[in-house]
Amino acid sequence: MNNTITLTDLNTFMNECKKELIDLGYYEVMNKSYVICFNSRFKAKLGQIKMIPGGYQIDINSHFAEICPEGVRNTIMHELIHSLQGCMNHGNKWQTIAKLVNNTLHYHVTTTSYYEKYQKYYNAHSNKSTNKYTLTCAACNHKWNYKKRTKLITKIQNNQAYVVMCPYCGGAEFHLTNL
């Protein structure tokens, strides 16, 4: 079975998401023009919406669509919510609508993305790993992969003082592995 998502699929998903927003009372999507396309240049984001002359353009990370097709519809809904008045950021109005969409339509739209899940898929399916460093929290063992040598990595390599806390456990000690 082929799970490849096509541009036709993206348009179908977008139109279904628009209809669901209309059914929830967000009629303004009826009067807006949308173009949806793949973007192969994205490395750290799954989708993006931007205003263009005459409407909006939604770009979907093409690698993400290949590797994690089940997340594409959520990404499209996430971006469509941004097109609603007062929702171009992840403020209270955006979060309220996302919560309604999640509870009513059983989506999983969040302010953050599936990036960690996508990154795991990407690394597992990629012919070569582009990550050069792995930073591991000494307290909870959570790992972060880095492609480039950051200031933090340089400080850890040179045994210099750094002020960083793990967002998962609050730990402040990290181990670095060169890949």
Side-chain angles (χ1 to χ4, degrees):
M1 184 166 101
N2 187 353
N3 288 335
T4 303
I5 294 179
T6 66
L7 192 53
T8 302
D9 295 328
L10 284 185
N11 276 296
T12 299
F13 294 162
M14 182 181 63
N15 288 329
E16 290 169 355
C17 290
K18 284 173 54 179
K19 183 179 180 328
E20 290 171 326
L21 284 171
I22 292 166
D23 290 345
L24 289 176
Y26 296 99
Y27 303 110
E28 65 185 276
V29 295
M30 288 189 309
N31 301 323
K32 294 182 179 181
S33 177
Y34 299 90
V35 175
I36 192 163
C37 56
F38 289 111
N39 190 321
S40 61
R41 294 181 313 269
F42 287 167
K43 301 293 182 210
K45 58 183 161 186
L46 306 184
Q48 168 184 289
I49 189 167
K50 60 185 174 185
M51 293 183 78
I52 58 172
Y56 294 89
Q57 178 176 318
I58 297 174
D59 292 328
I60 300 296
N61 181 321
S62 59
H63 306 294
F64 173 65
E66 283 178 29
I67 294 167
C68 191
E70 70 275 10
V72 171
R73 191 182 298 262
N74 284 298
T75 302
I76 293 170
M77 182 61 83
H78 174 114
E79 302 308 337
L80 281 172
I81 294 171
H82 278 306
S83 75
L84 299 174
Q85 187 173 352
C87 292
M88 268 312 233
N89 57 29
H90 294 127
N92 289 336
K93 185 171 181 183
W94 186 95
Q95 290 181 34
T96 299
I97 296 169
K99 187 175 183 177
L100 175 67
V101 165
N102 290 339
N103 292 337
T104 307
L105 304 173
H106 309 291
Y107 276 83
H108 185 71
V109 175
T110 61
T111 56
T112 56
S113 68
Y114 293 90
Y115 188 70
E116 281 187 352
K117 181 179 179 184
Y118 160 65
Q119 195 63 33
K120 288 177 189 174
Y121 277 111
Y122 185 75
N123 289 341
H125 291 84
S126 177
N127 291 337
K128 62 176 184 143
S129 175
T130 58
N131 296 320
K132 295 182 180 179
Y133 306 96
T134 297
L135 194 62
T136 306
C137 175
C140 72
N141 213 30
H142 190 86
K143 297 181 186 308
W144 293 268
N145 292 317
Y146 293 86
K147 295 176 186 175
K148 297 179 181 177
R149 186 174 173 181
T150 65
K151 289 180 183 178
L152 174 62
I153 290 170
T154 301
K155 287 183 177 189
I156 292 171
Q157 285 177 326
N158 296 330
N159 293 320
Q160 295 175 333
Y162 58 88
V163 181
V164 176
M165 292 179 61
C166 174
Y168 296 93
C169 72
E173 184 180 339
F174 298 89
H175 302 290
L176 180 66
T177 306
N178 292 358
L179 303 174

